[in-house]
Amino acid sequence: LSCRHYRRRQLCVAACHFLHGEPREFAQGSECFECHPECERMEGSVTCNGSVPAPRCRPGPTAPPQPHSA
């Protein structure tokens, strides 16, 4: 599936949920992936960026260091 902007699962979308929407996401290439569910949501900033360990993801005490991908 080739999309103009981003792809979430098998749907083309204009943008990932970087700053707004649920669940918050990050992009790898043109694919949207969900942030790990235990990452603390950051208002006005990107919640996670997909790196391991994710410096912009503030995990809870039991959260694994990597983001959750769908």
Side-chain angles (χ1 to χ4, degrees):
L1 179 66
S2 179
C3 298
R4 177 178 287 167
H5 300 285
Y6 293 98
R7 183 174 70 199
R8 179 179 299 118
R9 296 179 189 94
Q10 294 300 314
L11 298 173
C12 293
V13 294
C16 300
H17 294 150
F18 298 122
L19 303 175
H20 306 285
E22 290 294 331
R24 293 297 171 92
E25 299 172 318
F26 67 95
Q28 285 184 339
S30 60
E31 182 82 18
C32 300
F33 294 96
E34 294 178 13
C35 294
H36 190 277
E38 291 187 20
C39 287
E40 181 180 327
R41 182 174 161 169
M42 298 171 68
E43 295 297 331
S45 181
V46 175
T47 296
C48 67
N49 65 8
S51 66
V52 178
R56 302 200 97 185
C57 174
R58 291 193 250 166
T62 61
Q66 70 274 0
H68 173 75
S69 60

